[in-house]
Structures are given as C-alpha cells and as structure tokens.
Amino acid sequence: MKLYATSIPQALPSWATVISNNAGLIEVEINDEDPGFHSIIEELSTEIEPGIIGVKAGDLCQRLSIEMVDTNEEN
C-alpha cells in the first residue's frame, strides 16, 4: 500500500518506508503484512458505513503524524 504525503515525521515505523520525495510530494510505502501495522489497523478499525468495518486513511495518517495529500483541493 502507498500513501502520498506533503510532510512526514523524521522517524517512521519499521513497516513504513519513504520511496521518493520529489517537489514536496513524499511517497510512503506501507508493508501491510507487518504485525506492527496490523496492530494499528486493529486499533483504528471502525464502522465506516453500516456493516462495513475499515480504517480511514486520514485516521491512519493522523496516527503516524503524516500530512496526506488532499486530492479534493482545487489548484
């Protein structure tokens, strides 16, 4: 899984790796098979819609202190 961010903390968990940092856009790859990642996913899981359990990307980024790129912003 990949996230695209505008800022990240200096220290990321072992299951998150910076792939590139070009023109202020940081590409972070998540090893979604890592047990540490699964622990956070379990903690953050909520009912997103009736009958659908998941994790919102914004919640995961907030937990990791990552500022995610907002694709809804108009340039």
Side-chain angles (χ1 to χ4, degrees), residues 10-66:
Q10 268 191 329
L12 288 172
S14 61
W15 42 262
T17 305
V18 174
I19 300 299
S20 66
N21 185 351
N22 295 316
L25 182 64
I26 305 163
E27 182 179 9
V28 179
E29 186 168 50
I30 305 292
N31 176 0
D32 57 5
E33 295 181 12
D34 188 283
F37 177 72
H38 282 275
S39 294
I40 286 183
I41 293 300
E42 287 175 16
E43 284 179 39
L44 296 175
S45 291
T46 60
E47 188 171 35
I48 296 172
E49 291 181 19
I52 299 175
I53 304 295
V55 175
K56 295 178 183 176
D59 292 345
L60 177 60
C61 288
Q62 182 179 8
R63 175 69 179 268
L64 298 174
S65 299
I66 293 175

